[in-house]
Amino acid sequence: MGINLSKGQRIDLTKTNPGLTKAVIGLGWDTNRYSGGHDFDLDASAFLTDANGRVTQDLDFIFYNNLVHTSGGVEHTGDNRTGEGDGDDEQIRIDFSKVPSHVHRIAIAVTIHDADARNQNFGQVSNAFARLFDEETNREILRFDLGEDFSVETAVVICELYRHNGEWKFNAIGSGFSGGLAALCRNYGLEV
């Protein structure tokens, strides 16, 4: 069992886990207070940013329409449109040895697809979590449970992996946005 993090907590990844080169971030959630007749489709995405927190090219945005980074360093394993079942609903794989040098941070977010049209928000989502495990050993290194802090938000930046003195660290962020994926893209400097 890995370390349980709370919001705002940071942890060393590669320094305290020597030999960790391939990590998987598993994201999961349940929907509970909703009966609007639509599926509840949450989407994970990764923003690969420079030192200033900006995505410098469209290819550095990994989501359901661009699953694998050109470097092979970040890969989205595919869209789960219902969130049914236990365990991870979506996963993002990271190979630290392949992440390009211009990428200083990898922000992991979850957004609600068509949230406005379907009248959905994160207030209707429960048991949301992110966990990071070593792909080669399957050992869970950390887990971050988001809690029930959200009401009207339609996008959440869950966590960030970032370089520091040649090592990778993990930051449990858990900050909500209104405006869904479009707002998030603008936040990271992408044209929508």
Side-chain angles (χ1 to χ4, degrees), residues 71-132:
S71 65
V74 179
E75 176 189 349
H76 188 311
T77 60
D79 188 14
N80 172 338
R81 291 173 183 263
T82 62
E84 292 296 315
D86 294 332
D88 301 340
D89 290 311
E90 293 192 9
Q91 291 183 333
I92 293 177
R93 301 167 64 195
I94 297 171
D95 184 338
F96 294 115
S97 68
K98 292 182 180 174
V99 175
S101 57
H102 76 273
V103 174
H104 287 258
R105 295 176 182 272
I106 302 169
I108 307 292
V110 174
T111 54
I112 302 174
H113 187 69
D114 272 349
D116 292 341
R118 297 176 180 184
N119 200 19
Q120 297 171 342
N121 59 55
F122 271 95
Q124 298 155 329
V125 173
S126 60
N127 305 322
F129 68 86
R131 66 189 192 101
L132 185 142

Side-chain angles (χ1 to χ4, degrees), residues 12-119:
D12 278 313
L13 279 180
T14 52
K15 196 174 184 177
T16 51
N17 298 281
L20 176 68
T21 52
K22 293 181 177 174
V24 178
I25 295 179
L27 302 154
W29 52 79
D30 294 318
T31 53
N32 51 2
R33 296 174 292 281
Y34 177 73
S35 56
H38 294 284
D39 280 338
F40 217 102
D41 180 11
L42 274 67
D43 296 312
S45 52
F47 296 87
L48 285 62
T49 76
D50 61 14
N52 301 316
R54 310 303 274 173
V55 174
T56 54
Q57 54 185 354
D58 288 351
L59 292 173
D60 288 347
F61 171 43
I62 304 302
F63 68 119
Y64 55 83
N65 280 336
N66 179 31
L67 291 173
V68 184
H69 190 262
T70 49
S71 65
V74 179
E75 176 189 349
H76 188 311
T77 60
D79 188 14
N80 172 338
R81 291 173 183 263
T82 62
E84 292 296 315
D86 294 332
D88 301 340
D89 290 311
E90 293 192 9
Q91 291 183 333
I92 293 177
R93 301 167 64 195
I94 297 171
D95 184 338
F96 294 115
S97 68
K98 292 182 180 174
V99 175
S101 57
H102 76 273
V103 174
H104 287 258
R105 295 176 182 272
I106 302 169
I108 307 292
V110 174
T111 54
I112 302 174
H113 187 69
D114 272 349
D116 292 341
R118 297 176 180 184
N119 200 19

Side-chain angles (χ1 to χ4, degrees), residues 156-169:
V156 177
V157 177
I158 295 192
C159 61
E160 202 173 62
L161 292 85
Y162 64 99
R163 292 186 206 257
H164 183 72
N165 295 336
E167 300 284 353
W168 283 92
K169 293 180 176 246

